[in-house]
Amino acid sequence: MTQCCINPSILSADFVNLEAELKRISNADAVHVDVMDNHFVPNLTIGLPVVQRIQAVSPVPLDAHLMIADADRWAPGFADAGLASVTFHAEAAIAPIKLARELRARGAKAGMALRPGTPVEPYLDMLSELDMLLIMTVEPGFGGQAFLDVTLPKIRRARKAIDGSGIGVAIQVDGGITEDTIARAAEAGANVFVAGSAVYGADDPEAAIDRLRQAGSETLRSSAE
């Protein structure tokens, strides 16, 4: 895949003015919404009612990242809310294939996330059930962390398996994505990039998105040649 997608994370946005913050990233490919429950990760953010309101006012599609326990029970409700993409953690799902199929049946793209220390190999046989594989490049739970280069070999292995299968599964990376690190992640095989601080910490978030997209696209094109 050579299309570079930038999905800014509202974890770095001003939560008091979310509607205005969404308008500041209208050139994004999607809005990355981090849902944390203080159980699966040691942080608490927002739940389904708030996500539903974000969905109602967002100028771009919503990409939910559910860092929550009991994903099999709760994830389908986010698909029912009309979100474009719903990603659950493999470590929090009892029946990931069944859950992925249920998300798709309810109209959302199905994504599955892996913590930095979770190997990708046990899940390669279910790639056909997914639209996106999210490889965390930091430990989930908090924004502003530094990119973990140790995750690059896993991204490469996932890309090799996806390309070998001929299945159009996107590889998303989340954590520490900046203009400096996006090229390394893209060279390894990622094509969807979550950026929080790099976008909302900039004076002009839309310009920051354009710069990230350009940097990622150049690397993806070079890798494809």
Side-chain angles (χ1 to χ4, degrees):
M1 290 188 177
T2 57
Q3 181 181 357
C4 174
C5 297
I6 306 298
N7 297 8
S9 169
I10 59 171
L11 190 62
S12 298
D14 179 359
F15 269 45
V16 176
N17 299 292
L18 273 182
E19 185 171 2
E21 292 285 74
L22 292 168
K23 292 177 181 178
R24 298 176 71 202
I25 57 167
S26 60
N27 62 331
D29 295 282
V31 179
H32 191 79
V33 181
D34 291 301
V35 178
M36 308 182 193
D37 64 357
N38 204 29
H39 292 284
F40 181 71
V41 292
N43 196 5
L44 182 67
T45 56
I46 57 177
L48 181 56
V50 176
V51 174
Q52 289 171 325
R53 288 295 301 134
I54 296 172
Q55 169 72 15
V57 301
S58 176
V60 294
L62 262 60
D63 165 35
H65 176 194
L66 307 183
M67 288 168 273
I68 62 175
D70 200 2
D72 305 78
R73 176 184 179 186
W74 298 110
F78 289 84
D80 287 341
L83 275 64
S85 177
V86 178
T87 297
F88 61 90
H89 266 266
E91 305 91 348
I94 296 173
I97 293 176
K98 179 182 177 182
L99 178 54
R101 290 181 177 180
E102 188 166 2
L103 294 174
R104 283 176 156 182
R106 297 184 185 212
K109 290 183 178 180
M112 186 175 70
L114 303 175
R115 287 177 178 266
T118 300
V120 69
E121 284 75 14
Y123 301 99
L124 294 180
D125 288 342
M126 67 170 289
L127 286 175
S128 61
E129 305 291 343
L130 301 173
D131 298 290
M132 184 169 69
L133 179 66
L134 167 53
I135 296 178
M136 294 297 298
T137 46
V138 299
E139 284 295 339
F142 294 92
Q145 300 182 63
F147 184 89
L148 295 174
D149 284 276
V150 71
T151 61
L152 292 173
K154 181 162 67 171
I155 298 171
R156 292 191 180 97
R157 293 194 300 272
R159 173 51 63 196
K160 182 178 180 180
I162 290 169
D163 289 348
S165 69
I167 301 170
V169 179
I171 296 181
Q172 184 181 76
V173 288
D174 181 1
I177 297 300
T178 66
E179 291 181 55
D180 294 325
T181 61
I182 191 170
R184 300 206 294 275
E187 186 277 330
N191 67 298
V192 182
F193 306 91
V194 177
S197 303
V199 172
Y200 277 111
D203 293 334
D204 185 342
E206 289 188 334
I209 291 169
D210 288 339
R211 290 193 297 269
L212 287 167
R213 186 180 286 118
Q214 180 177 356
S217 295
E218 289 176 353
T219 302
L220 287 172
R221 282 195 296 268
S222 297
S223 299
E225 293 176 354

